Amino acid sequence: MNPKQILFTDVSSQTWIEEIILNAESHPGFSESSSWSIQKKQLHGGLSEGVDLIEVNNGALTLSILPSRGMGVWKGAFQGIPLEWKSPVKTPINPAFVNLSERGGLGWLSGFNELICRCGLISNGPPGTDSAGNPLESELTLHGRIANTPAHYVCVELNPAEGGMIKITGRMEEGILFGSHFLLESTLETQIGSSEFLIRDRITNLGPDAAESELLYHINIGPPFLEAGSKFMMPFDEMAPRDPRAAEGVKDFNTYLGPTPDYAEQAYYFLPICDEKGETPALLCNKQGDLGFQVSFKKAFLPYFTLWKNTGSESGGYVTGLEPAINFPNFRGVEREQGRLRALGSGDSYETEFRISILNHQDSVDEVRQKITKLNEQSPSIIHDQPHDRFS
């Protein structure tokens, strides 16, 4: 059986399928497993009205993908283990109800509740006025627009090779007349029965002129991976706290508190190192060490990493973020001065890639821990106890 594509939406041909269900019964021969399925539906009611949702079940891992919200991943589960966090924003929000400019440019927070969302593509730091950029794009809002940009093209590809591969591809355009114009093509793939999924992105400058780009992956994890005594591990050359608040906890940057009312967020910036394949493993594991959430990313594509700790109250959003990126989430002017903006000529592209793996046995967690320890032993890590001007 050759790979087969199923079109969910293509604005160029005005095709829109309101609801579709794919499973073993409708596609015999794709996989011996009878438990896989893909369902596209639309949410109704309140601020979720009109949000499109694609639910992927590979037989062990389920993922809820949001074409209406930049192909972000809302939540998931692996063999009953939840992959999510409890944001005060309870349901996926239609971007039509998100005013990015409100609250001094912090409106992005009104829709933030995903397991994975993108920050970019023009900027991904705090709001403010970037006087050195295009005047039409000088007023920046928190974390950019791409997470609130609906996909205009979505399709599913079923490939029976190697036991069955599911691929979900979406395309989003972010642009303005007389300004920058980017195309993001994103593919999420997972194999039948797997505990992993991979995301590959390609960002292309469709505009006639050179343009600057930023991109960060906000990967957000709550319980049961996150709890009092949870640990973070990643091989790195150098790390610095983002600000004085983060400096207060620099000695304990890799351990976590339980839900703590009035906790103020902390962020740490890293220069990661990679293995012989060019991959960097970042791991969050529970206190017992028998449950792990691993993010493996290509350092050549994503050379910077941010650890976000927001262990406030449960109702306020008890969460941590593992965030590979092409830059640090500082104000765009700072990143320009440090040479971390990605400059793209007309028609040029860059790519990114990372993999999420769920580790539900102590042996698998220990294996990753040992790998990270060996990579760190190659050279001593530099940890700055105060913010450093090369970082923030």
Side-chain angles (χ1 to χ4, degrees), residues 216-328:
L216 174 144
Y217 294 93
H218 224 303
I219 304 172
N220 310 294
I221 312 105
F225 303 91
L226 180 64
E227 62 180 357
S230 289
K231 293 187 179 297
F232 165 77
M233 293 184 69
M234 186 185 75
F236 64 94
D237 276 328
E238 197 169 354
M239 182 273 276
R242 179 184 65 183
D243 49 31
R245 164 59 186 153
E248 295 173 8
V250 72
K251 292 182 179 179
D252 300 310
F253 78 89
N254 60 343
T255 61
Y256 290 88
L257 300 172
T260 306
D262 301 322
Y263 180 93
E265 65 176 1
Q266 296 173 316
Y268 302 92
Y269 292 166
F270 295 81
L271 299 179
I273 60 176
C274 59
D275 62 16
E276 67 280 0
K277 297 180 180 179
E279 293 187 350
T280 299
L283 173 68
L284 173 71
C285 66
N286 65 350
K287 181 180 179 179
Q288 188 69 23
D290 57 1
L291 187 61
F293 187 103
Q294 181 183 0
V295 181
S296 299
F297 56 96
K298 295 283 190 180
K299 182 190 171 186
F301 298 157
L302 297 164
Y304 305 104
F305 185 92
T306 298
L307 176 66
W308 177 54
K309 299 175 72 174
N310 189 50
T311 52
S313 64
E314 291 184 0
S315 61
Y318 180 66
V319 64
T320 190
L322 311 185
E323 305 174 8
I326 70 168
N327 63 283
F328 291 129

Side-chain angles (χ1 to χ4, degrees), residues 118-126 130 140-146 174 180 182 184 203 211-217 301-302 324-344 350 352:
R118 296 167 180 81
C119 303
L121 296 168
I122 294 174
S123 67
N124 62 15
D130 181 13
L140 305 178
T141 58
L142 177 66
H143 287 333
R145 298 181 178 276
I146 196 62
E174 178 187 323
S180 58
F182 293 108
L184 167 62
I203 296 87
E212 298 171 329
S213 179
E214 296 184 323
L215 179 59
L216 174 144
Y217 294 93
F301 298 157
L302 297 164
I326 70 168
N327 63 283
F328 291 129
N330 299 311
F331 186 68
R332 189 170 68 177
V334 173
E335 293 302 278
R336 182 182 294 112
E337 291 174 0
Q338 293 295 328
R340 290 189 286 257
L341 296 186
R342 188 66 56 90
L344 290 178
Y350 66 90
T352 63

Side-chain angles (χ1 to χ4, degrees), residues 39-52:
Q39 183 173 4
K40 185 249 176 209
K41 57 181 70 172
Q42 193 171 84
L43 304 181
H44 296 285
L47 300 180
S48 295
E49 181 66 37
V51 171
D52 293 303

Side-chain angles (χ1 to χ4, degrees), residues 190-220:
T190 185
Q191 189 172 347
I192 295 295
S194 174
S195 62
E196 302 181 333
F197 64 97
L198 181 141
I199 291 179
R200 291 192 181 97
D201 286 353
R202 176 190 290 270
I203 296 87
T204 303
N205 178 10
L206 300 181
D209 303 313
E212 298 171 329
S213 179
E214 296 184 323
L215 179 59
L216 174 144
Y217 294 93
H218 224 303
I219 304 172
N220 310 294

Side-chain angles (χ1 to χ4, degrees), residues 1-2 23-33 36 159-161 163-164:
M1 179 181 175
N2 295 325
N23 52 33
E25 182 178 347
S26 60
H27 289 76
F30 169 62
S31 172
E32 294 180 359
S33 171
W36 71 271
N159 192 333

